[in-house]
Amino acid sequence: MRDLKTLLAKATPARSGDELAGIAAESAEERARAQMELAGVPLRRFLDEPVIPYEDDEVTRLVLDSHDSTAFAPIAHLTVGDFREWLLDEETTGERIAAISTGVTPEMAAAVSKIMRAQDLITAGAKPRVVTRFRDTIGLPGRLSTRLQPNHPTDDPRGIAASVIDGLLHANGDAVIGVNPASDDVATVERLLRMLDRVRETLEIPTQICVLAHVTTQMRALARGAPLDLVFQSIAGTEAANRAFGIDVRMLDDACAAVLDLKRGQNVMYFETGQGSALSANAHHGVDQQTCEARAYAVARRYRPLLVNTVVGFIGPEYLFDGKQIARAGLEDHFCGKLLGLPMGCDVCYTNHAEADQDDMDSLLTLLGVAGCNYIMGVPGADDIMLNYQSTSFHDALYLRSLLKLRPAPEFEAWLERMGIAGGGLRLRTPHTLPAPFARAIEAAG
């Protein structure tokens, strides 16, 4: 009988990162045999055999110390294969999945995903709805939100504000208006936070703002009185990988407590993840990249975040080689995150040196819409000119909402109608000139 770490790696659908790490199955036959063996593994075994030793890794300690045995009890007798059947059973509702989520470890979630086809991941991922709230409500049935991502290569406030207005006029931005700053210094972060907050207040937008700097920079900006809504941080699934990000659990605890002290809401954190981050930091301990990714979700759920998303193809083809691997990873990440009780979104994206194109992203975008993804990215022209990667555009969100009869967050939808941006059924109204409130918002940006 193989150890769980090896078995999980061999059972993983093909991806370049695990091949790079030297832990992947060497043939389709070996992979199929490993998946068959994995299907017979009792779920209880994952509690007894951590893939990274308890004493060596704080993420392992977090997973095991926070495990909810009461929530686990209804599925404790199942094998991985039985668990798949339970998840796909028509009598297993989203509510039943939500009830057992705190009893599911990341390794259990990763294991069951490895023996699922794409349609299984979509079917099971669509069942639970994870709803979070700040100024608006994200994740309700029949809704699809977007992060408006107005990045600028020089952090120019007016350039960022112009992209914000463009996105709002295309009904984007109800999940968050979030800028990746080109510079991580506290003065830049504070300036951008104040600018975004002025735009938000000028237009009375029921959404959140965020500047996606390192958590320590955001905390310094908060100490200087900056209007910080959400604390952002990229996270990974091992202690060593999180150290490479310059963080640990205690640092995230302190940041979360600082923002909760503002008493503006209970869902105040925003996390981004991505398959391959632990491997790229040489911090994977021989664990396959998809299992490492699922372990990152255990870190995220500790904080009841407003938003979590996998930046699925951002790290590059060394980890997810082509459109097929990116699509599979996106569906796995969404399913595993939802199974663990997280409000999952996805940055449907790729780098220009990957064997992928926008047709691949259109396919994954559509699949995630069917799977009940909470939110996607809205990037001007789908081309992030600061981070130099390809994502989804303002128009892509409109496509998905129209195709699947989805609507934005209810508070944001009411604002769109009040501002004359959209009418009944979310039909956009195209103004001949920039409406006066939006012109004032650009002026307010400075």
Side-chain angles (χ1 to χ4, degrees), residues 14-15 275 310-317 319-333 346-351 354-357 360-361 364 368:
R15 63 208 55 197
Q275 288 193 29
T310 169
V311 192
V312 66
F314 181 74
I315 303 181
Y319 307 95
L320 295 170
F321 181 72
D322 57 15
K324 182 175 181 177
Q325 291 190 11
I326 291 171
R328 171 79 197 189
L331 293 175
E332 289 169 349
D333 295 351
C346 185
D347 189 343
V348 181
C349 63
Y350 65 101
T351 58
E355 291 294 319
D357 59 26
D360 295 313
M361 299 307 103
L364 177 54
L368 286 167

PDB file of all heavy atoms in Angstrom, residues 14-15 275 310-317 319-333 346-351 354-357 360-361 364 368:
ATOM      1  N   ALA A  14      -2.955  14.722 -15.572  1.00  0.00           N
ATOM      2  CA  ALA A  14      -1.654  15.198 -16.042  1.00  0.00           C
ATOM      3  C   ALA A  14      -1.536  16.704 -15.957  1.00  0.00           C
ATOM      4  O   ALA A  14      -2.430  17.441 -16.359  1.00  0.00           O
ATOM      5  CB  ALA A  14      -1.442  14.749 -17.486  1.00  0.00           C
ATOM      6  N   ARG A  15      -0.392  17.154 -15.411  1.00  0.00           N
ATOM      7  CA  ARG A  15      -0.041  18.573 -15.440  1.00  0.00           C
ATOM      8  C   ARG A  15       1.467  18.744 -15.329  1.00  0.00           C
ATOM      9  O   ARG A  15       2.158  17.962 -14.679  1.00  0.00           O
ATOM     10  CB  ARG A  15      -0.776  19.386 -14.377  1.00  0.00           C
ATOM     11  CG  ARG A  15      -0.518  19.061 -12.952  1.00  0.00           C
ATOM     12  CD  ARG A  15      -1.745  19.425 -12.146  1.00  0.00           C
ATOM     13  NE  ARG A  15      -2.906  18.758 -12.699  1.00  0.00           N
ATOM     14  CZ  ARG A  15      -4.181  19.103 -12.441  1.00  0.00           C
ATOM     15  NH1 ARG A  15      -4.442  20.117 -11.645  1.00  0.00           N
ATOM     16  NH2 ARG A  15      -5.181  18.438 -12.967  1.00  0.00           N
ATOM     17  N   GLN A 275      -2.521  27.077  -8.296  1.00  0.00           N
ATOM     18  CA  GLN A 275      -1.740  25.844  -8.355  1.00  0.00           C
ATOM     19  C   GLN A 275      -0.330  26.136  -8.853  1.00  0.00           C
ATOM     20  O   GLN A 275      -0.140  26.804  -9.861  1.00  0.00           O
ATOM     21  CB  GLN A 275      -2.408  24.837  -9.279  1.00  0.00           C
ATOM     22  CG  GLN A 275      -3.672  24.227  -8.715  1.00  0.00           C
ATOM     23  CD  GLN A 275      -4.137  23.009  -9.499  1.00  0.00           C
ATOM     24  OE1 GLN A 275      -3.340  22.293 -10.106  1.00  0.00           O
ATOM     25  NE2 GLN A 275      -5.446  22.769  -9.483  1.00  0.00           N
ATOM     26  N   THR A 310      -8.864  31.600  -7.232  1.00  0.00           N
ATOM     27  CA  THR A 310      -7.683  30.994  -7.815  1.00  0.00           C
ATOM     28  C   THR A 310      -7.308  31.769  -9.074  1.00  0.00           C
ATOM     29  O   THR A 310      -8.161  32.014  -9.929  1.00  0.00           O
ATOM     30  CB  THR A 310      -7.918  29.506  -8.142  1.00  0.00           C
ATOM     31  OG1 THR A 310      -6.841  29.021  -8.947  1.00  0.00           O
ATOM     32  CG2 THR A 310      -9.217  29.270  -8.879  1.00  0.00           C
ATOM     33  N   VAL A 311      -6.048  32.181  -9.158  1.00  0.00           N
ATOM     34  CA  VAL A 311      -5.538  32.858 -10.357  1.00  0.00           C
ATOM     35  C   VAL A 311      -4.962  31.735 -11.225  1.00  0.00           C
ATOM     36  O   VAL A 311      -3.771  31.506 -11.253  1.00  0.00           O
ATOM     37  CB  VAL A 311      -4.487  33.915  -9.992  1.00  0.00           C
ATOM     38  CG1 VAL A 311      -4.179  34.827 -11.183  1.00  0.00           C
ATOM     39  CG2 VAL A 311      -4.979  34.772  -8.822  1.00  0.00           C
ATOM     40  N   VAL A 312      -5.837  31.066 -11.961  1.00  0.00           N
ATOM     41  CA  VAL A 312      -5.587  29.683 -12.332  1.00  0.00           C
ATOM     42  C   VAL A 312      -4.416  29.489 -13.288  1.00  0.00           C
ATOM     43  O   VAL A 312      -3.632  28.562 -13.141  1.00  0.00           O
ATOM     44  CB  VAL A 312      -6.879  29.019 -12.864  1.00  0.00           C
ATOM     45  CG1 VAL A 312      -7.336  29.646 -14.166  1.00  0.00           C
ATOM     46  CG2 VAL A 312      -6.695  27.519 -13.033  1.00  0.00           C
ATOM     47  N   GLY A 313      -4.240  30.356 -14.275  1.00  0.00           N
ATOM     48  CA  GLY A 313      -3.155  30.138 -15.235  1.00  0.00           C
ATOM     49  C   GLY A 313      -2.039  31.146 -15.144  1.00  0.00           C
ATOM     50  O   GLY A 313      -1.223  31.260 -16.070  1.00  0.00           O
ATOM     51  N   PHE A 314      -1.953  31.864 -14.027  1.00  0.00           N
ATOM     52  CA  PHE A 314      -1.055  33.014 -13.935  1.00  0.00           C
ATOM     53  C   PHE A 314       0.415  32.622 -13.810  1.00  0.00           C
ATOM     54  O   PHE A 314       1.294  33.331 -14.299  1.00  0.00           O
ATOM     55  CB  PHE A 314      -1.459  33.891 -12.745  1.00  0.00           C
ATOM     56  CG  PHE A 314      -0.620  35.124 -12.578  1.00  0.00           C
ATOM     57  CD1 PHE A 314      -0.773  36.196 -13.438  1.00  0.00           C
ATOM     58  CD2 PHE A 314       0.316  35.221 -11.564  1.00  0.00           C
ATOM     59  CE1 PHE A 314      -0.011  37.351 -13.298  1.00  0.00           C
ATOM     60  CE2 PHE A 314       1.087  36.364 -11.420  1.00  0.00           C
ATOM     61  CZ  PHE A 314       0.923  37.431 -12.287  1.00  0.00           C
ATOM     62  N   ILE A 315       0.707  31.507 -13.157  1.00  0.00           N
ATOM     63  CA  ILE A 315       2.105  31.198 -12.857  1.00  0.00           C
ATOM     64  C   ILE A 315       2.855  30.742 -14.101  1.00  0.00           C
ATOM     65  O   ILE A 315       4.057  30.946 -14.211  1.00  0.00           O
ATOM     66  CB  ILE A 315       2.202  30.175 -11.707  1.00  0.00           C
ATOM     67  CG1 ILE A 315       1.473  30.701 -10.472  1.00  0.00           C
ATOM     68  CG2 ILE A 315       3.647  29.899 -11.344  1.00  0.00           C
ATOM     69  CD1 ILE A 315       1.535  29.788  -9.268  1.00  0.00           C
ATOM     70  N   GLY A 316       2.144  30.139 -15.064  1.00  0.00           N
ATOM     71  CA  GLY A 316       2.801  29.834 -16.330  1.00  0.00           C
ATOM     72  C   GLY A 316       2.778  28.373 -16.714  1.00  0.00           C
ATOM     73  O   GLY A 316       2.361  27.498 -15.936  1.00  0.00           O
ATOM     74  N   PRO A 317       3.250  28.065 -17.926  1.00  0.00           N
ATOM     75  CA  PRO A 317       3.158  26.708 -18.469  1.00  0.00           C
ATOM     76  C   PRO A 317       4.057  25.694 -17.779  1.00  0.00           C
ATOM     77  O   PRO A 317       3.885  24.494 -17.977  1.00  0.00           O
ATOM     78  CB  PRO A 317       3.564  26.889 -19.934  1.00  0.00           C
ATOM     79  CG  PRO A 317       4.415  28.120 -19.956  1.00  0.00           C
ATOM     80  CD  PRO A 317       3.825  29.008 -18.900  1.00  0.00           C
ATOM     81  N   TYR A 319       3.783  24.995 -14.867  1.00  0.00           N
ATOM     82  CA  TYR A 319       2.904  24.411 -13.852  1.00  0.00           C
ATOM     83  C   TYR A 319       1.586  23.929 -14.446  1.00  0.00           C
ATOM     84  O   TYR A 319       1.067  22.882 -14.060  1.00  0.00           O
ATOM     85  CB  TYR A 319       2.674  25.430 -12.734  1.00  0.00           C
ATOM     86  CG  TYR A 319       3.993  25.933 -12.209  1.00  0.00           C
ATOM     87  CD1 TYR A 319       4.560  27.117 -12.682  1.00  0.00           C
ATOM     88  CD2 TYR A 319       4.730  25.179 -11.296  1.00  0.00           C
ATOM     89  CE1 TYR A 319       5.800  27.548 -12.254  1.00  0.00           C
ATOM     90  CE2 TYR A 319       5.978  25.594 -10.856  1.00  0.00           C
ATOM     91  CZ  TYR A 319       6.515  26.785 -11.343  1.00  0.00           C
ATOM     92  OH  TYR A 319       7.745  27.192 -10.917  1.00  0.00           O
ATOM     93  N   LEU A 320       1.023  24.686 -15.379  1.00  0.00           N
ATOM     94  CA  LEU A 320      -0.159  24.274 -16.144  1.00  0.00           C
ATOM     95  C   LEU A 320       0.161  24.573 -17.600  1.00  0.00           C
ATOM     96  O   LEU A 320       0.176  25.732 -18.010  1.00  0.00           O
ATOM     97  CB  LEU A 320      -1.399  25.031 -15.672  1.00  0.00           C
ATOM     98  CG  LEU A 320      -1.838  24.741 -14.221  1.00  0.00           C
ATOM     99  CD1 LEU A 320      -2.918  25.724 -13.781  1.00  0.00           C
ATOM    100  CD2 LEU A 320      -2.326  23.307 -14.065  1.00  0.00           C
ATOM    101  N   PHE A 321       0.420  23.532 -18.366  1.00  0.00           N
ATOM    102  CA  PHE A 321       1.063  23.701 -19.661  1.00  0.00           C
ATOM    103  C   PHE A 321       0.182  24.338 -20.721  1.00  0.00           C
ATOM    104  O   PHE A 321       0.618  25.197 -21.486  1.00  0.00           O
ATOM    105  CB  PHE A 321       1.564  22.346 -20.175  1.00  0.00           C
ATOM    106  CG  PHE A 321       2.255  22.425 -21.502  1.00  0.00           C
ATOM    107  CD1 PHE A 321       3.522  22.994 -21.610  1.00  0.00           C
ATOM    108  CD2 PHE A 321       1.639  21.955 -22.656  1.00  0.00           C
ATOM    109  CE1 PHE A 321       4.156  23.084 -22.837  1.00  0.00           C
ATOM    110  CE2 PHE A 321       2.265  22.039 -23.885  1.00  0.00           C
ATOM    111  CZ  PHE A 321       3.526  22.610 -23.981  1.00  0.00           C
ATOM    112  N   ASP A 322      -1.094  23.926 -20.776  1.00  0.00           N
ATOM    113  CA  ASP A 322      -1.927  24.352 -21.900  1.00  0.00           C
ATOM    114  C   ASP A 322      -3.352  24.605 -21.444  1.00  0.00           C
ATOM    115  O   ASP A 322      -3.685  24.510 -20.249  1.00  0.00           O
ATOM    116  CB  ASP A 322      -1.887  23.307 -23.020  1.00  0.00           C
ATOM    117  CG  ASP A 322      -2.322  21.919 -22.566  1.00  0.00           C
ATOM    118  OD1 ASP A 322      -2.933  21.790 -21.474  1.00  0.00           O
ATOM    119  OD2 ASP A 322      -2.044  20.950 -23.296  1.00  0.00           O
ATOM    120  N   GLY A 323      -4.210  24.938 -22.418  1.00  0.00           N
ATOM    121  CA  GLY A 323      -5.593  25.270 -22.100  1.00  0.00           C
ATOM    122  C   GLY A 323      -6.331  24.147 -21.405  1.00  0.00           C
ATOM    123  O   GLY A 323      -7.151  24.389 -20.511  1.00  0.00           O
ATOM    124  N   LYS A 324      -6.039  22.897 -21.789  1.00  0.00           N
ATOM    125  CA  LYS A 324      -6.707  21.761 -21.159  1.00  0.00           C
ATOM    126  C   LYS A 324      -6.324  21.655 -19.687  1.00  0.00           C
ATOM    127  O   LYS A 324      -7.197  21.439 -18.829  1.00  0.00           O
ATOM    128  CB  LYS A 324      -6.363  20.472 -21.894  1.00  0.00           C
ATOM    129  CG  LYS A 324      -7.061  19.247 -21.317  1.00  0.00           C
ATOM    130  CD  LYS A 324      -6.803  17.991 -22.134  1.00  0.00           C
ATOM    131  CE  LYS A 324      -7.543  16.804 -21.546  1.00  0.00           C
ATOM    132  NZ  LYS A 324      -7.372  15.565 -22.351  1.00  0.00           N
ATOM    133  N   GLN A 325      -5.042  21.790 -19.365  1.00  0.00           N
ATOM    134  CA  GLN A 325      -4.618  21.708 -17.962  1.00  0.00           C
ATOM    135  C   GLN A 325      -5.159  22.879 -17.158  1.00  0.00           C
ATOM    136  O   GLN A 325      -5.552  22.725 -15.995  1.00  0.00           O
ATOM    137  CB  GLN A 325      -3.093  21.644 -17.881  1.00  0.00           C
ATOM    138  CG  GLN A 325      -2.512  20.342 -18.405  1.00  0.00           C
ATOM    139  CD  GLN A 325      -1.026  20.186 -18.111  1.00  0.00           C
ATOM    140  OE1 GLN A 325      -0.432  20.943 -17.340  1.00  0.00           O
ATOM    141  NE2 GLN A 325      -0.408  19.190 -18.724  1.00  0.00           N
ATOM    142  N   ILE A 326      -5.190  24.064 -17.748  1.00  0.00           N
ATOM    143  CA  ILE A 326      -5.725  25.239 -17.053  1.00  0.00           C
ATOM    144  C   ILE A 326      -7.210  25.044 -16.753  1.00  0.00           C
ATOM    145  O   ILE A 326      -7.678  25.337 -15.639  1.00  0.00           O
ATOM    146  CB  ILE A 326      -5.495  26.509 -17.885  1.00  0.00           C
ATOM    147  CG1 ILE A 326      -3.999  26.851 -17.947  1.00  0.00           C
ATOM    148  CG2 ILE A 326      -6.278  27.699 -17.319  1.00  0.00           C
ATOM    149  CD1 ILE A 326      -3.659  27.957 -18.933  1.00  0.00           C
ATOM    150  N   ALA A 327      -7.960  24.538 -17.728  1.00  0.00           N
ATOM    151  CA  ALA A 327      -9.400  24.332 -17.531  1.00  0.00           C
ATOM    152  C   ALA A 327      -9.661  23.316 -16.431  1.00  0.00           C
ATOM    153  O   ALA A 327     -10.513  23.525 -15.558  1.00  0.00           O
ATOM    154  CB  ALA A 327     -10.054  23.892 -18.835  1.00  0.00           C
ATOM    155  N   ARG A 328      -8.922  22.207 -16.462  1.00  0.00           N
ATOM    156  CA  ARG A 328      -9.092  21.191 -15.436  1.00  0.00           C
ATOM    157  C   ARG A 328      -8.775  21.770 -14.053  1.00  0.00           C
ATOM    158  O   ARG A 328      -9.515  21.566 -13.093  1.00  0.00           O
ATOM    159  CB  ARG A 328      -8.185  19.999 -15.746  1.00  0.00           C
ATOM    160  CG  ARG A 328      -8.086  18.942 -14.648  1.00  0.00           C
ATOM    161  CD  ARG A 328      -9.273  18.019 -14.621  1.00  0.00           C
ATOM    162  NE  ARG A 328      -9.320  17.306 -13.342  1.00  0.00           N
ATOM    163  CZ  ARG A 328     -10.155  16.307 -13.086  1.00  0.00           C
ATOM    164  NH1 ARG A 328     -11.002  15.897 -14.014  1.00  0.00           N
ATOM    165  NH2 ARG A 328     -10.173  15.732 -11.909  1.00  0.00           N
ATOM    166  N   ALA A 329      -7.685  22.517 -13.958  1.00  0.00           N
ATOM    167  CA  ALA A 329      -7.292  23.093 -12.674  1.00  0.00           C
ATOM    168  C   ALA A 329      -8.344  24.078 -12.171  1.00  0.00           C
ATOM    169  O   ALA A 329      -8.657  24.113 -10.970  1.00  0.00           O
ATOM    170  CB  ALA A 329      -5.941  23.782 -12.806  1.00  0.00           C
ATOM    171  N   GLY A 330      -8.899  24.893 -13.060  1.00  0.00           N
ATOM    172  CA  GLY A 330      -9.917  25.845 -12.644  1.00  0.00           C
ATOM    173  C   GLY A 330     -11.139  25.159 -12.065  1.00  0.00           C
ATOM    174  O   GLY A 330     -11.697  25.596 -11.037  1.00  0.00           O
ATOM    175  N   LEU A 331     -11.581  24.083 -12.693  1.00  0.00           N
ATOM    176  CA  LEU A 331     -12.737  23.354 -12.187  1.00  0.00           C
ATOM    177  C   LEU A 331     -12.416  22.651 -10.869  1.00  0.00           C
ATOM    178  O   LEU A 331     -13.254  22.608  -9.951  1.00  0.00           O
ATOM    179  CB  LEU A 331     -13.202  22.330 -13.228  1.00  0.00           C
ATOM    180  CG  LEU A 331     -13.780  22.916 -14.513  1.00  0.00           C
ATOM    181  CD1 LEU A 331     -14.099  21.798 -15.509  1.00  0.00           C
ATOM    182  CD2 LEU A 331     -15.022  23.756 -14.245  1.00  0.00           C
ATOM    183  N   GLU A 332     -11.212  22.085 -10.750  1.00  0.00           N
ATOM    184  CA  GLU A 332     -10.806  21.460  -9.486  1.00  0.00           C
ATOM    185  C   GLU A 332     -10.791  22.481  -8.356  1.00  0.00           C
ATOM    186  O   GLU A 332     -11.313  22.223  -7.259  1.00  0.00           O
ATOM    187  CB  GLU A 332      -9.402  20.867  -9.628  1.00  0.00           C
ATOM    188  CG  GLU A 332      -9.293  19.634 -10.496  1.00  0.00           C
ATOM    189  CD  GLU A 332      -7.857  19.279 -10.806  1.00  0.00           C
ATOM    190  OE1 GLU A 332      -6.935  20.091 -10.539  1.00  0.00           O
ATOM    191  OE2 GLU A 332      -7.648  18.172 -11.341  1.00  0.00           O
ATOM    192  N   ASP A 333     -10.174  23.627  -8.618  1.00  0.00           N
ATOM    193  CA  ASP A 333     -10.029  24.630  -7.566  1.00  0.00           C
ATOM    194  C   ASP A 333     -11.392  25.135  -7.104  1.00  0.00           C
ATOM    195  O   ASP A 333     -11.642  25.285  -5.900  1.00  0.00           O
ATOM    196  CB  ASP A 333      -9.183  25.804  -8.071  1.00  0.00           C
ATOM    197  CG  ASP A 333      -7.747  25.416  -8.377  1.00  0.00           C
ATOM    198  OD1 ASP A 333      -7.352  24.278  -8.043  1.00  0.00           O
ATOM    199  OD2 ASP A 333      -7.027  26.238  -8.964  1.00  0.00           O
ATOM    200  N   CYS A 346     -12.820  32.881  -9.658  1.00  0.00           N
ATOM    201  CA  CYS A 346     -11.699  32.423 -10.472  1.00  0.00           C
ATOM    202  C   CYS A 346     -11.240  33.531 -11.402  1.00  0.00           C
ATOM    203  O   CYS A 346     -12.066  34.186 -12.048  1.00  0.00           O
ATOM    204  CB  CYS A 346     -12.091  31.197 -11.292  1.00  0.00           C
ATOM    205  SG  CYS A 346     -10.714  30.479 -12.241  1.00  0.00           S
ATOM    206  N   ASP A 347      -9.930  33.750 -11.429  1.00  0.00           N
ATOM    207  CA  ASP A 347      -9.318  34.581 -12.459  1.00  0.00           C
ATOM    208  C   ASP A 347      -9.010  33.640 -13.620  1.00  0.00           C
ATOM    209  O   ASP A 347      -8.047  32.888 -13.587  1.00  0.00           O
ATOM    210  CB  ASP A 347      -8.055  35.247 -11.929  1.00  0.00           C
ATOM    211  CG  ASP A 347      -7.502  36.297 -12.883  1.00  0.00           C
ATOM    212  OD1 ASP A 347      -7.893  36.282 -14.064  1.00  0.00           O
ATOM    213  OD2 ASP A 347      -6.675  37.122 -12.447  1.00  0.00           O
ATOM    214  N   VAL A 348      -9.882  33.644 -14.611  1.00  0.00           N
ATOM    215  CA  VAL A 348      -9.750  32.764 -15.776  1.00  0.00           C
ATOM    216  C   VAL A 348      -8.666  33.374 -16.660  1.00  0.00           C
ATOM    217  O   VAL A 348      -8.913  34.325 -17.391  1.00  0.00           O
ATOM    218  CB  VAL A 348     -11.094  32.664 -16.518  1.00  0.00           C
ATOM    219  CG1 VAL A 348     -10.979  31.736 -17.714  1.00  0.00           C
ATOM    220  CG2 VAL A 348     -12.196  32.193 -15.568  1.00  0.00           C
ATOM    221  N   CYS A 349      -7.453  32.844 -16.592  1.00  0.00           N
ATOM    222  CA  CYS A 349      -6.330  33.579 -17.165  1.00  0.00           C
ATOM    223  C   CYS A 349      -5.229  32.652 -17.675  1.00  0.00           C
ATOM    224  O   CYS A 349      -5.203  31.466 -17.369  1.00  0.00           O
ATOM    225  CB  CYS A 349      -5.750  34.538 -16.125  1.00  0.00           C
ATOM    226  SG  CYS A 349      -5.046  33.725 -14.672  1.00  0.00           S
ATOM    227  N   TYR A 350      -4.315  33.252 -18.437  1.00  0.00           N
ATOM    228  CA  TYR A 350      -3.141  32.532 -18.937  1.00  0.00           C
ATOM    229  C   TYR A 350      -2.050  33.542 -19.257  1.00  0.00           C
ATOM    230  O   TYR A 350      -2.318  34.733 -19.450  1.00  0.00           O
ATOM    231  CB  TYR A 350      -3.486  31.707 -20.186  1.00  0.00           C
ATOM    232  CG  TYR A 350      -3.895  32.514 -21.395  1.00  0.00           C
ATOM    233  CD1 TYR A 350      -3.007  32.755 -22.441  1.00  0.00           C
ATOM    234  CD2 TYR A 350      -5.188  33.040 -21.503  1.00  0.00           C
ATOM    235  CE1 TYR A 350      -3.381  33.489 -23.560  1.00  0.00           C
ATOM    236  CE2 TYR A 350      -5.573  33.771 -22.611  1.00  0.00           C
ATOM    237  CZ  TYR A 350      -4.669  34.000 -23.631  1.00  0.00           C
ATOM    238  OH  TYR A 350      -5.044  34.733 -24.733  1.00  0.00           O
ATOM    239  N   THR A 351      -0.825  33.060 -19.293  1.00  0.00           N
ATOM    240  CA  THR A 351       0.298  33.895 -19.700  1.00  0.00           C
ATOM    241  C   THR A 351       0.559  33.682 -21.185  1.00  0.00           C
ATOM    242  O   THR A 351       0.189  32.643 -21.750  1.00  0.00           O
ATOM    243  CB  THR A 351       1.565  33.542 -18.907  1.00  0.00           C
ATOM    244  OG1 THR A 351       1.865  32.150 -19.111  1.00  0.00           O
ATOM    245  CG2 THR A 351       1.369  33.801 -17.416  1.00  0.00           C
ATOM    246  N   ALA A 354       2.093  30.376 -22.535  1.00  0.00           N
ATOM    247  CA  ALA A 354       1.397  29.101 -22.360  1.00  0.00           C
ATOM    248  C   ALA A 354       0.750  28.669 -23.674  1.00  0.00           C
ATOM    249  O   ALA A 354       0.466  29.496 -24.545  1.00  0.00           O
ATOM    250  CB  ALA A 354       0.331  29.228 -21.279  1.00  0.00           C
ATOM    251  N   GLU A 355       0.524  27.366 -23.799  1.00  0.00           N
ATOM    252  CA  GLU A 355      -0.172  26.848 -24.979  1.00  0.00           C
ATOM    253  C   GLU A 355      -1.676  26.996 -24.757  1.00  0.00           C
ATOM    254  O   GLU A 355      -2.407  26.029 -24.560  1.00  0.00           O
ATOM    255  CB  GLU A 355       0.210  25.381 -25.208  1.00  0.00           C
ATOM    256  CG  GLU A 355       1.637  25.177 -25.647  1.00  0.00           C
ATOM    257  CD  GLU A 355       1.898  25.781 -27.030  1.00  0.00           C
ATOM    258  OE1 GLU A 355       1.024  25.649 -27.906  1.00  0.00           O
ATOM    259  OE2 GLU A 355       2.969  26.377 -27.223  1.00  0.00           O
ATOM    260  N   ALA A 356      -2.119  28.253 -24.755  1.00  0.00           N
ATOM    261  CA  ALA A 356      -3.524  28.562 -24.496  1.00  0.00           C
ATOM    262  C   ALA A 356      -3.868  29.848 -25.210  1.00  0.00           C
ATOM    263  O   ALA A 356      -2.987  30.641 -25.572  1.00  0.00           O
ATOM    264  CB  ALA A 356      -3.774  28.703 -22.986  1.00  0.00           C
ATOM    265  N   ASP A 357      -5.157  30.068 -25.415  1.00  0.00           N
ATOM    266  CA  ASP A 357      -5.609  31.311 -26.021  1.00  0.00           C
ATOM    267  C   ASP A 357      -6.972  31.682 -25.454  1.00  0.00           C
ATOM    268  O   ASP A 357      -7.494  31.007 -24.556  1.00  0.00           O
ATOM    269  CB  ASP A 357      -5.640  31.211 -27.554  1.00  0.00           C
ATOM    270  CG  ASP A 357      -6.545  30.095 -28.065  1.00  0.00           C
ATOM    271  OD1 ASP A 357      -7.506  29.707 -27.356  1.00  0.00           O
ATOM    272  OD2 ASP A 357      -6.298  29.607 -29.180  1.00  0.00           O
ATOM    273  N   ASP A 360      -9.752  29.116 -25.204  1.00  0.00           N
ATOM    274  CA  ASP A 360      -9.674  28.249 -24.033  1.00  0.00           C
ATOM    275  C   ASP A 360     -10.305  28.923 -22.822  1.00  0.00           C
ATOM    276  O   ASP A 360     -10.998  28.286 -22.020  1.00  0.00           O
ATOM    277  CB  ASP A 360      -8.219  27.898 -23.721  1.00  0.00           C
ATOM    278  CG  ASP A 360      -7.563  27.059 -24.799  1.00  0.00           C
ATOM    279  OD1 ASP A 360      -8.176  26.077 -25.241  1.00  0.00           O
ATOM    280  OD2 ASP A 360      -6.438  27.398 -25.213  1.00  0.00           O
ATOM    281  N   MET A 361     -10.049  30.232 -22.680  1.00  0.00           N
ATOM    282  CA  MET A 361     -10.612  30.957 -21.544  1.00  0.00           C
ATOM    283  C   MET A 361     -12.130  31.074 -21.666  1.00  0.00           C
ATOM    284  O   MET A 361     -12.853  30.983 -20.669  1.00  0.00           O
ATOM    285  CB  MET A 361      -9.984  32.338 -21.431  1.00  0.00           C
ATOM    286  CG  MET A 361      -8.471  32.328 -21.204  1.00  0.00           C
ATOM    287  SD  MET A 361      -7.912  31.319 -19.790  1.00  0.00           S
ATOM    288  CE  MET A 361      -7.280  29.857 -20.638  1.00  0.00           C
ATOM    289  N   LEU A 364     -13.500  27.751 -20.365  1.00  0.00           N
ATOM    290  CA  LEU A 364     -13.451  27.631 -18.911  1.00  0.00           C
ATOM    291  C   LEU A 364     -14.422  28.605 -18.258  1.00  0.00           C
ATOM    292  O   LEU A 364     -15.108  28.259 -17.280  1.00  0.00           O
ATOM    293  CB  LEU A 364     -12.020  27.875 -18.411  1.00  0.00           C
ATOM    294  CG  LEU A 364     -11.837  27.854 -16.882  1.00  0.00           C
ATOM    295  CD1 LEU A 364     -12.367  26.576 -16.266  1.00  0.00           C
ATOM    296  CD2 LEU A 364     -10.368  28.070 -16.520  1.00  0.00           C
ATOM    297  N   LEU A 368     -17.314  27.421 -15.657  1.00  0.00           N
ATOM    298  CA  LEU A 368     -17.388  27.936 -14.293  1.00  0.00           C
ATOM    299  C   LEU A 368     -18.721  28.628 -14.026  1.00  0.00           C
ATOM    300  O   LEU A 368     -19.246  28.576 -12.914  1.00  0.00           O
ATOM    301  CB  LEU A 368     -16.230  28.897 -14.034  1.00  0.00           C
ATOM    302  CG  LEU A 368     -14.861  28.237 -13.859  1.00  0.00           C
ATOM    303  CD1 LEU A 368     -13.754  29.280 -13.918  1.00  0.00           C
ATOM    304  CD2 LEU A 368     -14.791  27.467 -12.539  1.00  0.00           C
TER     305      LEU A 368
END
